[in-house]
């Protein structure tokens, strides 16, 4: 017997209903991006490994899916190198390409390669899959979609304001209540300076970013393990646990960070973003959260994260300001800011809260029952008119038993069935059945179209 087929761990098949739900997510995000003047681009699934390596840190490099060279990939490799069994070194010889890890680095590469065609500021969005050789677990996949929007070539904080408006608009359309969390890497740098550990900024931010997951005690333990002094950790406590309104937090930070020019610059930027958004009438809460650090080291200014309020799940959107991402490709001084919606987590949240609109997941609206050649021929004319009017309609292809055809309609959740027998043809009409309440009425093709398009 043939072996049962399977798919790689951390990947998934999606059914027609699931695809309808996913497309609802992508289309909603796409529509909002268009409202704010963003244009879509696409980049290849695979990039040169030289483009990807070294951009995500040592851990990120390990999670890159590498693509084996075609042809004789042993050529140019010595027996000594093969016998060394040095996986990393051999991979660099066997593989020139890799699957993209995110959309940001390919975007930076795109900007550098197409700089002469681009008008700055450049507002782009991408909705494409990415791949990570991570250990699969609940909510974490090896293949998943990102929905990114970035503005490059502008230092204006109005870009941050508009990205937060986009976040608010998208989740309002979804009906998901969220808290938009905002912080600034300059504030975190200032905190590291005033506690006397400026050179440990990365260790500090990586640790406090885990506060929600591992708790304060374990954060402090990790800070100590990284060589941060007990005195510095003690100074950090009231800052990490700062509470109150956004205005109160900013006022406290102005005092606490008075000795740090960088820290005060971060406070000033955050104040502008929050004060501007306050006048925009956001539907969702926005909170200055000093424990928000975002792991990626290329963020240099404002950073964002979005948490769903009614479901226990990690961040469902994130992003921030980066000052020199294109610099790694030889194009210095291009500042940018971006966000990324976690489509797979949003999918899970909408499922748990049952927030999908009925019309988003329904496919066919109308099924014509097939009683035979004459009836099918009559039905096809009306079917064409219905489709021309924008009604999603189909005819059962075979003259099967009525029970089988009605069962097909039920399984596919088709709300209306058109029954055309000899009597209906004689009158030039159709028996339209509502599958939800069982009501039937004899209608003309025009009345059928009006009933389904109202």
């Amino acid at each position: 017997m043939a072996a049962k087929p399977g798919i790689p761990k951390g990947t998934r098949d999606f059914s027609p209903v699931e695809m309808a739900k996913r497309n609802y997510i992508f289309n909603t995000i796409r529509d909002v991006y268009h409202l704010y003047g963003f244009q879509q681009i696409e980049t290849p699934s695979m990039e040169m490994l030289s483009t990807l390596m070294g951009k995500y840190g040592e851990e990120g490099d390990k999670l890159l899916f590498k693509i084996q060279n075609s042809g004789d990939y042993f050529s140019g490799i010595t027996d000594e190198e093969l016998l060394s069994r040095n996986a990393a070194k051999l991979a660099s010889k066997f593989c020139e390409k890799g699957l993209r890890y995110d959309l940001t680095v390919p975007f930076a590469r795109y900007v550098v390669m197409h700089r002469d065609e681009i008008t700055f500021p450049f507002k782009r969005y991408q909705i494409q899959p990415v791949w990570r050789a991570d250990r699969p677990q609940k909510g974490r996949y090896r293949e998943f979609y990102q929905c990114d929007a970035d503005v490059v070539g502008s230092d204006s904080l109005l870009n941050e304001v508009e990205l937060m408006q986009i976040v608010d608009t998208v989740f309002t359309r979804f009906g998901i209540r969220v808290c938009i969390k905002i912080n600034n890497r300059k504030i975190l740098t200032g905190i590291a300076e005033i506690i006397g550990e400026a050179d440990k900024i990365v260790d500090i931010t990586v640790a406090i970013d885990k506060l929600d997951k591992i708790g304060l005690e374990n954060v402090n333990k990790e800070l100590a393990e990284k060589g941060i002094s007990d005195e510095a950790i003690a100074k950090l406590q009231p800052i990490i646990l700062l509470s109150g309104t956004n205005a109160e937090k900013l006022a406290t930070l102005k005092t606490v960070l008075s000795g740090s020019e960088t820290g005060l610059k971060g406070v000033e930027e955050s104040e502008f973003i929050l004060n501007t958004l306050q006048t925009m009438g956001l539907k969702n809460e926005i909170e200055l959260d000093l424990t928000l650090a975002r792991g990626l080291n290329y963020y240099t200014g404002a950073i964002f994260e979005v948490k769903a309020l009614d479901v226990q799940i990690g961040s469902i959107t994130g992003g921030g300001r980066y000052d020199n991402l294109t610099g790694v490709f030889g194009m210095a001084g291009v500042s940018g800011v971006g966000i990324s919606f976690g489509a797979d987590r949003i999918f899970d949240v909408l499922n748990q809260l049952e927030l999908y609109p009925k019309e988003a997941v329904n496919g066919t609206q109308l099924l014509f029952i097939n009683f035979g050649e004459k009836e099918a021929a009559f039905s096809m004319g009306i079917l064409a008119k219905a489709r021309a009017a924008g009604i999603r309609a189909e005819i059962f292809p075979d003259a099967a038993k009525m029970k089988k055809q009605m069962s097909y309609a039920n399984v596919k959740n088709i709300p209306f069935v058109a029954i055309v027998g000899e009597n209906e043809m004689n009158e030039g009409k159709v028996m339209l059945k509502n599958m939800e309440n069982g009501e039937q009425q004899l209608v003309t093709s025009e009345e059928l179209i009006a009933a389904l398009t109202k």
Side-chain angles (χ1 to χ4, degrees), residues 45-53 64-70 91-92 94-100:
S45 298
M46 54 183 166
E47 295 274 352
M48 302 305 294
L49 272 180
S50 56
T51 297
L52 301 173
M53 293 291 284
L64 286 170
F65 274 111
K66 299 172 179 68
I67 299 171
Q68 188 173 284
N69 296 339
S70 53
S92 69
F94 286 165
C95 310
E96 293 174 352
K97 298 175 284 293
L99 293 177
R100 59 169 173 253

PDB file of all heavy atoms in Angstrom, residues 45-53 64-70 91-92 94-100:
ATOM      1  N   SER A  45      10.363  34.731  -3.268  1.00  0.00           N
ATOM      2  CA  SER A  45      10.349  33.888  -2.063  1.00  0.00           C
ATOM      3  C   SER A  45      11.765  33.609  -1.593  1.00  0.00           C
ATOM      4  O   SER A  45      12.029  33.493  -0.405  1.00  0.00           O
ATOM      5  CB  SER A  45       9.638  32.562  -2.352  1.00  0.00           C
ATOM      6  OG  SER A  45       8.302  32.792  -2.718  1.00  0.00           O
ATOM      7  N   MET A  46      12.684  33.467  -2.553  1.00  0.00           N
ATOM      8  CA  MET A  46      14.076  33.209  -2.171  1.00  0.00           C
ATOM      9  C   MET A  46      14.936  34.419  -2.472  1.00  0.00           C
ATOM     10  O   MET A  46      14.708  35.148  -3.444  1.00  0.00           O
ATOM     11  CB  MET A  46      14.615  31.964  -2.880  1.00  0.00           C
ATOM     12  CG  MET A  46      14.487  31.948  -4.380  1.00  0.00           C
ATOM     13  SD  MET A  46      15.080  30.390  -5.057  1.00  0.00           S
ATOM     14  CE  MET A  46      14.423  30.496  -6.721  1.00  0.00           C
ATOM     15  N   GLU A  47      15.902  34.629  -1.609  1.00  0.00           N
ATOM     16  CA  GLU A  47      16.879  35.701  -1.763  1.00  0.00           C
ATOM     17  C   GLU A  47      18.270  35.078  -1.754  1.00  0.00           C
ATOM     18  O   GLU A  47      18.443  33.931  -1.337  1.00  0.00           O
ATOM     19  CB  GLU A  47      16.767  36.699  -0.593  1.00  0.00           C
ATOM     20  CG  GLU A  47      15.467  37.464  -0.523  1.00  0.00           C
ATOM     21  CD  GLU A  47      15.448  38.732  -1.380  1.00  0.00           C
ATOM     22  OE1 GLU A  47      16.523  39.083  -1.920  1.00  0.00           O
ATOM     23  OE2 GLU A  47      14.377  39.343  -1.504  1.00  0.00           O
ATOM     24  N   MET A  48      19.263  35.818  -2.190  1.00  0.00           N
ATOM     25  CA  MET A  48      20.642  35.360  -2.032  1.00  0.00           C
ATOM     26  C   MET A  48      20.946  35.293  -0.534  1.00  0.00           C
ATOM     27  O   MET A  48      20.550  36.187   0.224  1.00  0.00           O
ATOM     28  CB  MET A  48      21.617  36.315  -2.722  1.00  0.00           C
ATOM     29  CG  MET A  48      21.367  36.502  -4.221  1.00  0.00           C
ATOM     30  SD  MET A  48      21.350  34.943  -5.149  1.00  0.00           S
ATOM     31  CE  MET A  48      23.064  34.422  -4.979  1.00  0.00           C
ATOM     32  N   LEU A  49      21.634  34.233  -0.120  1.00  0.00           N
ATOM     33  CA  LEU A  49      21.958  34.111   1.310  1.00  0.00           C
ATOM     34  C   LEU A  49      22.793  35.293   1.787  1.00  0.00           C
ATOM     35  O   LEU A  49      22.678  35.712   2.940  1.00  0.00           O
ATOM     36  CB  LEU A  49      22.707  32.801   1.574  1.00  0.00           C
ATOM     37  CG  LEU A  49      21.847  31.568   1.859  1.00  0.00           C
ATOM     38  CD1 LEU A  49      22.728  30.353   2.094  1.00  0.00           C
ATOM     39  CD2 LEU A  49      20.927  31.786   3.066  1.00  0.00           C
ATOM     40  N   SER A  50      23.596  35.856   0.892  1.00  0.00           N
ATOM     41  CA  SER A  50      24.401  37.025   1.265  1.00  0.00           C
ATOM     42  C   SER A  50      23.517  38.206   1.641  1.00  0.00           C
ATOM     43  O   SER A  50      23.905  39.072   2.432  1.00  0.00           O
ATOM     44  CB  SER A  50      25.334  37.410   0.112  1.00  0.00           C
ATOM     45  OG  SER A  50      24.582  37.638  -1.080  1.00  0.00           O
ATOM     46  N   THR A  51      22.294  38.261   1.079  1.00  0.00           N
ATOM     47  CA  THR A  51      21.334  39.315   1.433  1.00  0.00           C
ATOM     48  C   THR A  51      20.779  39.084   2.823  1.00  0.00           C
ATOM     49  O   THR A  51      20.562  40.032   3.589  1.00  0.00           O
ATOM     50  CB  THR A  51      20.174  39.337   0.412  1.00  0.00           C
ATOM     51  OG1 THR A  51      20.689  39.658  -0.879  1.00  0.00           O
ATOM     52  CG2 THR A  51      19.101  40.350   0.803  1.00  0.00           C
ATOM     53  N   LEU A  52      20.529  37.804   3.174  1.00  0.00           N
ATOM     54  CA  LEU A  52      19.824  37.478   4.418  1.00  0.00           C
ATOM     55  C   LEU A  52      20.750  37.314   5.624  1.00  0.00           C
ATOM     56  O   LEU A  52      20.401  37.717   6.739  1.00  0.00           O
ATOM     57  CB  LEU A  52      19.016  36.186   4.225  1.00  0.00           C
ATOM     58  CG  LEU A  52      17.962  36.195   3.106  1.00  0.00           C
ATOM     59  CD1 LEU A  52      17.365  34.804   2.931  1.00  0.00           C
ATOM     60  CD2 LEU A  52      16.862  37.203   3.402  1.00  0.00           C
ATOM     61  N   MET A  53      21.907  36.695   5.420  1.00  0.00           N
ATOM     62  CA  MET A  53      22.778  36.347   6.544  1.00  0.00           C
ATOM     63  C   MET A  53      23.298  37.599   7.254  1.00  0.00           C
ATOM     64  O   MET A  53      23.612  38.610   6.632  1.00  0.00           O
ATOM     65  CB  MET A  53      23.973  35.512   6.065  1.00  0.00           C
ATOM     66  CG  MET A  53      23.597  34.130   5.558  1.00  0.00           C
ATOM     67  SD  MET A  53      23.023  33.006   6.848  1.00  0.00           S
ATOM     68  CE  MET A  53      24.571  32.563   7.626  1.00  0.00           C
ATOM     69  N   LEU A  64      17.289  30.378   9.253  1.00  0.00           N
ATOM     70  CA  LEU A  64      17.100  30.568   7.814  1.00  0.00           C
ATOM     71  C   LEU A  64      17.000  29.210   7.114  1.00  0.00           C
ATOM     72  O   LEU A  64      17.838  28.334   7.327  1.00  0.00           O
ATOM     73  CB  LEU A  64      18.267  31.352   7.220  1.00  0.00           C
ATOM     74  CG  LEU A  64      18.332  32.850   7.525  1.00  0.00           C
ATOM     75  CD1 LEU A  64      19.675  33.410   7.068  1.00  0.00           C
ATOM     76  CD2 LEU A  64      17.196  33.594   6.830  1.00  0.00           C
ATOM     77  N   PHE A  65      15.998  29.042   6.280  1.00  0.00           N
ATOM     78  CA  PHE A  65      15.917  27.859   5.418  1.00  0.00           C
ATOM     79  C   PHE A  65      16.837  28.096   4.224  1.00  0.00           C
ATOM     80  O   PHE A  65      16.644  29.043   3.461  1.00  0.00           O
ATOM     81  CB  PHE A  65      14.484  27.645   4.915  1.00  0.00           C
ATOM     82  CG  PHE A  65      13.621  26.847   5.858  1.00  0.00           C
ATOM     83  CD1 PHE A  65      12.572  27.452   6.523  1.00  0.00           C
ATOM     84  CD2 PHE A  65      13.863  25.501   6.066  1.00  0.00           C
ATOM     85  CE1 PHE A  65      11.766  26.719   7.390  1.00  0.00           C
ATOM     86  CE2 PHE A  65      13.061  24.760   6.928  1.00  0.00           C
ATOM     87  CZ  PHE A  65      12.020  25.366   7.595  1.00  0.00           C
ATOM     88  N   LYS A  66      17.826  27.235   4.077  1.00  0.00           N
ATOM     89  CA  LYS A  66      18.787  27.383   2.982  1.00  0.00           C
ATOM     90  C   LYS A  66      18.396  26.456   1.830  1.00  0.00           C
ATOM     91  O   LYS A  66      17.911  25.347   2.055  1.00  0.00           O
ATOM     92  CB  LYS A  66      20.195  27.080   3.482  1.00  0.00           C
ATOM     93  CG  LYS A  66      20.640  28.031   4.601  1.00  0.00           C
ATOM     94  CD  LYS A  66      21.948  27.605   5.228  1.00  0.00           C
ATOM     95  CE  LYS A  66      22.373  28.583   6.322  1.00  0.00           C
ATOM     96  NZ  LYS A  66      21.484  28.551   7.502  1.00  0.00           N
ATOM     97  N   ILE A  67      18.610  26.909   0.599  1.00  0.00           N
ATOM     98  CA  ILE A  67      18.240  26.146  -0.590  1.00  0.00           C
ATOM     99  C   ILE A  67      19.501  25.574  -1.223  1.00  0.00           C
ATOM    100  O   ILE A  67      20.441  26.307  -1.560  1.00  0.00           O
ATOM    101  CB  ILE A  67      17.500  27.038  -1.610  1.00  0.00           C
ATOM    102  CG1 ILE A  67      16.207  27.582  -0.986  1.00  0.00           C
ATOM    103  CG2 ILE A  67      17.196  26.268  -2.892  1.00  0.00           C
ATOM    104  CD1 ILE A  67      15.520  28.637  -1.820  1.00  0.00           C
ATOM    105  N   GLN A  68      19.504  24.260  -1.363  1.00  0.00           N
ATOM    106  CA  GLN A  68      20.660  23.578  -1.927  1.00  0.00           C
ATOM    107  C   GLN A  68      20.858  23.980  -3.395  1.00  0.00           C
ATOM    108  O   GLN A  68      19.906  24.048  -4.160  1.00  0.00           O
ATOM    109  CB  GLN A  68      20.416  22.067  -1.839  1.00  0.00           C
ATOM    110  CG  GLN A  68      21.603  21.210  -2.205  1.00  0.00           C
ATOM    111  CD  GLN A  68      21.293  19.758  -1.907  1.00  0.00           C
ATOM    112  OE1 GLN A  68      21.312  19.327  -0.765  1.00  0.00           O
ATOM    113  NE2 GLN A  68      20.958  19.012  -2.931  1.00  0.00           N
ATOM    114  N   ASN A  69      22.116  24.235  -3.770  1.00  0.00           N
ATOM    115  CA  ASN A  69      22.416  24.591  -5.157  1.00  0.00           C
ATOM    116  C   ASN A  69      22.016  23.459  -6.094  1.00  0.00           C
ATOM    117  O   ASN A  69      22.117  22.282  -5.740  1.00  0.00           O
ATOM    118  CB  ASN A  69      23.917  24.866  -5.338  1.00  0.00           C
ATOM    119  CG  ASN A  69      24.365  26.076  -4.540  1.00  0.00           C
ATOM    120  OD1 ASN A  69      23.555  26.917  -4.169  1.00  0.00           O
ATOM    121  ND2 ASN A  69      25.661  26.168  -4.284  1.00  0.00           N
ATOM    122  N   SER A  70      21.573  23.812  -7.281  1.00  0.00           N
ATOM    123  CA  SER A  70      21.286  22.785  -8.285  1.00  0.00           C
ATOM    124  C   SER A  70      22.596  22.370  -8.958  1.00  0.00           C
ATOM    125  O   SER A  70      23.612  23.046  -8.835  1.00  0.00           O
ATOM    126  CB  SER A  70      20.297  23.312  -9.322  1.00  0.00           C
ATOM    127  OG  SER A  70      20.761  24.521  -9.857  1.00  0.00           O
ATOM    128  N   ALA A  91      27.263  24.257   4.423  1.00  0.00           N
ATOM    129  CA  ALA A  91      26.032  24.903   3.947  1.00  0.00           C
ATOM    130  C   ALA A  91      26.376  26.136   3.116  1.00  0.00           C
ATOM    131  O   ALA A  91      25.729  26.419   2.108  1.00  0.00           O
ATOM    132  CB  ALA A  91      25.138  25.283   5.115  1.00  0.00           C
ATOM    133  N   SER A  92      27.422  26.867   3.538  1.00  0.00           N
ATOM    134  CA  SER A  92      27.808  28.070   2.798  1.00  0.00           C
ATOM    135  C   SER A  92      28.338  27.729   1.407  1.00  0.00           C
ATOM    136  O   SER A  92      28.285  28.546   0.491  1.00  0.00           O
ATOM    137  CB  SER A  92      28.857  28.870   3.582  1.00  0.00           C
ATOM    138  OG  SER A  92      30.082  28.160   3.615  1.00  0.00           O
ATOM    139  N   PHE A  94      27.306  24.699  -0.225  1.00  0.00           N
ATOM    140  CA  PHE A  94      26.218  24.008  -0.927  1.00  0.00           C
ATOM    141  C   PHE A  94      25.079  24.948  -1.322  1.00  0.00           C
ATOM    142  O   PHE A  94      24.314  24.655  -2.232  1.00  0.00           O
ATOM    143  CB  PHE A  94      25.607  22.920  -0.038  1.00  0.00           C
ATOM    144  CG  PHE A  94      26.460  21.691   0.122  1.00  0.00           C
ATOM    145  CD1 PHE A  94      26.175  20.780   1.127  1.00  0.00           C
ATOM    146  CD2 PHE A  94      27.517  21.428  -0.725  1.00  0.00           C
ATOM    147  CE1 PHE A  94      26.947  19.632   1.284  1.00  0.00           C
ATOM    148  CE2 PHE A  94      28.289  20.291  -0.571  1.00  0.00           C
ATOM    149  CZ  PHE A  94      28.013  19.397   0.440  1.00  0.00           C
ATOM    150  N   CYS A  95      24.945  26.043  -0.585  1.00  0.00           N
ATOM    151  CA  CYS A  95      23.738  26.883  -0.715  1.00  0.00           C
ATOM    152  C   CYS A  95      24.101  28.342  -0.973  1.00  0.00           C
ATOM    153  O   CYS A  95      24.830  28.947  -0.183  1.00  0.00           O
ATOM    154  CB  CYS A  95      22.895  26.806   0.562  1.00  0.00           C
ATOM    155  SG  CYS A  95      22.566  25.129   1.131  1.00  0.00           S
ATOM    156  N   GLU A  96      23.564  28.878  -2.048  1.00  0.00           N
ATOM    157  CA  GLU A  96      23.755  30.301  -2.345  1.00  0.00           C
ATOM    158  C   GLU A  96      22.495  31.104  -2.053  1.00  0.00           C
ATOM    159  O   GLU A  96      22.531  32.328  -1.961  1.00  0.00           O
ATOM    160  CB  GLU A  96      24.104  30.492  -3.828  1.00  0.00           C
ATOM    161  CG  GLU A  96      25.452  29.923  -4.225  1.00  0.00           C
ATOM    162  CD  GLU A  96      25.680  30.013  -5.724  1.00  0.00           C
ATOM    163  OE1 GLU A  96      24.719  30.378  -6.447  1.00  0.00           O
ATOM    164  OE2 GLU A  96      26.796  29.716  -6.168  1.00  0.00           O
ATOM    165  N   LYS A  97      21.364  30.392  -1.919  1.00  0.00           N
ATOM    166  CA  LYS A  97      20.064  31.062  -1.759  1.00  0.00           C
ATOM    167  C   LYS A  97      19.361  30.558  -0.496  1.00  0.00           C
ATOM    168  O   LYS A  97      19.672  29.481   0.017  1.00  0.00           O
ATOM    169  CB  LYS A  97      19.174  30.805  -2.987  1.00  0.00           C
ATOM    170  CG  LYS A  97      19.752  31.353  -4.287  1.00  0.00           C
ATOM    171  CD  LYS A  97      18.927  30.980  -5.492  1.00  0.00           C
ATOM    172  CE  LYS A  97      19.120  29.535  -5.925  1.00  0.00           C
ATOM    173  NZ  LYS A  97      20.471  29.246  -6.443  1.00  0.00           N
ATOM    174  N   GLY A  98      18.395  31.346  -0.033  1.00  0.00           N
ATOM    175  CA  GLY A  98      17.592  30.941   1.120  1.00  0.00           C
ATOM    176  C   GLY A  98      16.195  31.512   1.012  1.00  0.00           C
ATOM    177  O   GLY A  98      15.966  32.506   0.297  1.00  0.00           O
ATOM    178  N   LEU A  99      15.236  30.885   1.712  1.00  0.00           N
ATOM    179  CA  LEU A  99      13.869  31.430   1.765  1.00  0.00           C
ATOM    180  C   LEU A  99      13.865  32.654   2.672  1.00  0.00           C
ATOM    181  O   LEU A  99      14.543  32.670   3.710  1.00  0.00           O
ATOM    182  CB  LEU A  99      12.903  30.375   2.301  1.00  0.00           C
ATOM    183  CG  LEU A  99      12.677  29.150   1.420  1.00  0.00           C
ATOM    184  CD1 LEU A  99      11.759  28.153   2.128  1.00  0.00           C
ATOM    185  CD2 LEU A  99      12.079  29.542   0.080  1.00  0.00           C
ATOM    186  N   ARG A 100      13.099  33.668   2.297  1.00  0.00           N
ATOM    187  CA  ARG A 100      13.122  34.910   3.089  1.00  0.00           C
ATOM    188  C   ARG A 100      12.591  34.645   4.507  1.00  0.00           C
ATOM    189  O   ARG A 100      11.616  33.923   4.710  1.00  0.00           O
ATOM    190  CB  ARG A 100      12.331  36.024   2.395  1.00  0.00           C
ATOM    191  CG  ARG A 100      10.900  35.696   2.148  1.00  0.00           C
ATOM    192  CD  ARG A 100      10.073  36.904   1.711  1.00  0.00           C
ATOM    193  NE  ARG A 100       8.757  36.397   1.361  1.00  0.00           N
ATOM    194  CZ  ARG A 100       8.290  36.287   0.121  1.00  0.00           C
ATOM    195  NH1 ARG A 100       9.000  36.700  -0.901  1.00  0.00           N
ATOM    196  NH2 ARG A 100       7.101  35.770  -0.100  1.00  0.00           N
TER     197      ARG A 100
END
